[in-house]
Amino acid sequence: MAAVRALVGSKLAAASAFASLSPGGRTPSQRAAIHLSAPHPAAKVALVLSGCGVYDGTEIHEASAILVHLSRGGAEVQIFAPDIPQMHVIDHTKGQPSESESRNVLTESARIARGKITDLAKLSAANHDAAIFPGGFGAAKNLLCCIAPVLAAKVLRGVEVTVGHEQEEGGKWPYAGTAEAIKALGAKHFVKEVAEAHVDQKNKVVTTPAFMCEAALHHIHDGIGAMVRKVLELTGK
């Protein structure tokens, strides 16, 4: 089970109307002004990991896709994870706990970050325009904070999120029941396809179903790309 969440700083506005103008719609003087102006600063995004592996940490495909799309969008990324023991270690070949092992969340997350990672305790919201939380069971097991759509619904009353569809549809959406849990907490669930993202403009929360759907990997990658684009649009950078 996995879904991707992104939180954007509440003080930030959406991208300006000027940025949406096509080059053909501008006068020569307007085009010259654009070329002479200083480049926009890159959006500063915190990526928060919860280990390495879907059953006890971060869903690796989701984290990788997020990094690819952030890179393509020109964002400045800093990766974080808590310096704490994992709740437990899962043998991913069996889907069962490995009783004899214990691992550290920061150390395991560093595998995905290629060693460039910072203790989550040092994350300051003032230094970032947005934070993105990949899915994976480690999000609930190791972070113990409001990141999963259900927990977001519990903390942000009336928040809008998506985990995809609300019916299992023959196993295509195996975690569809999560939508009802979200609505029971007073939040609003929006039905979206796996390649789509939903934006809560008021709370500046962006979600995409990702592996909540049994879909081809490229469709999940596309949905994460849609989410990242929406996040960067909200930062206005």
Side-chain angles (χ1 to χ4, degrees):
M1 165 177 166
V4 181
R5 285 72 53 187
L7 310 178
V8 183
S10 59
K11 64 181 180 180
L12 300 172
S16 67
F18 178 77
S20 67
L21 293 174
S22 64
R26 303 187 182 104
T27 66
S29 61
Q30 286 176 317
R31 290 196 293 271
I34 291 170
H35 290 301
L36 291 173
S37 63
H40 289 292
K44 295 182 178 181
V45 180
L47 179 63
V48 181
L49 304 182
S50 58
C52 184
V54 61
Y55 297 132
D56 56 13
T58 291
E59 213 301 319
I60 299 171
H61 294 293
E62 291 186 12
S64 179
I66 291 166
L67 287 167
V68 168
H69 288 293
L70 286 172
S71 175
R72 180 171 287 129
E76 181 181 322
V77 183
Q78 188 174 6
I79 304 176
F80 296 87
D83 187 7
I84 58 173
Q86 286 187 188
M87 188 183 92
H88 59 192
V89 177
I90 298 293
D91 181 340
H92 280 58
T93 65
K94 301 175 181 177
Q96 298 175 352
S98 179
E99 302 295 344
S100 61
E101 289 189 70
S102 74
R103 300 186 183 183
N104 178 278
V105 177
L106 181 64
T107 302
E108 289 299 295
S109 298
R111 296 175 182 272
I112 299 173
R114 297 174 62 86
K116 298 178 181 178
I117 195 164
T118 304
D119 185 351
L120 182 60
K122 297 179 181 179
L123 190 155
S124 172
N127 296 331
H128 297 87
D129 300 302
I132 299 181
F133 301 84
F137 285 99
K141 294 178 178 180
N142 301 324
L143 293 182
L144 302 179
C145 65
C146 174
I147 60 164
V150 173
L151 294 178
K154 188 174 182 179
V155 173
L156 297 172
R157 188 73 177 175
V159 68
E160 299 176 3
V161 298
T162 186
V163 291
H165 285 206
E166 298 180 357
Q167 303 295 326
E168 290 191 13
E169 299 176 20
K172 182 179 180 181
W173 296 90
Y175 307 104
T178 307
E180 291 303 316
I182 287 169
K183 289 188 283 187
L185 291 169
K188 299 176 182 178
H189 182 261
F190 285 74
V191 173
K192 293 287 182 179
E193 300 301 327
V194 68
E196 297 179 315
H198 180 75
V199 182
D200 180 339
Q201 294 284 353
K202 179 181 177 181
N203 292 297
K204 299 199 184 307
V205 175
V206 188
T207 50
T208 189
F211 281 96
M212 300 295 279
C213 180
E214 291 291 336
L217 184 59
H218 68 280
H219 293 310
I220 293 167
H221 190 277
D222 291 345
I224 290 172
M227 182 210 65
V228 169
R229 287 192 295 275
K230 295 295 185 183
V231 168
L232 296 181
E233 287 173 11
L234 283 173
T235 69
K237 296 182 178 179

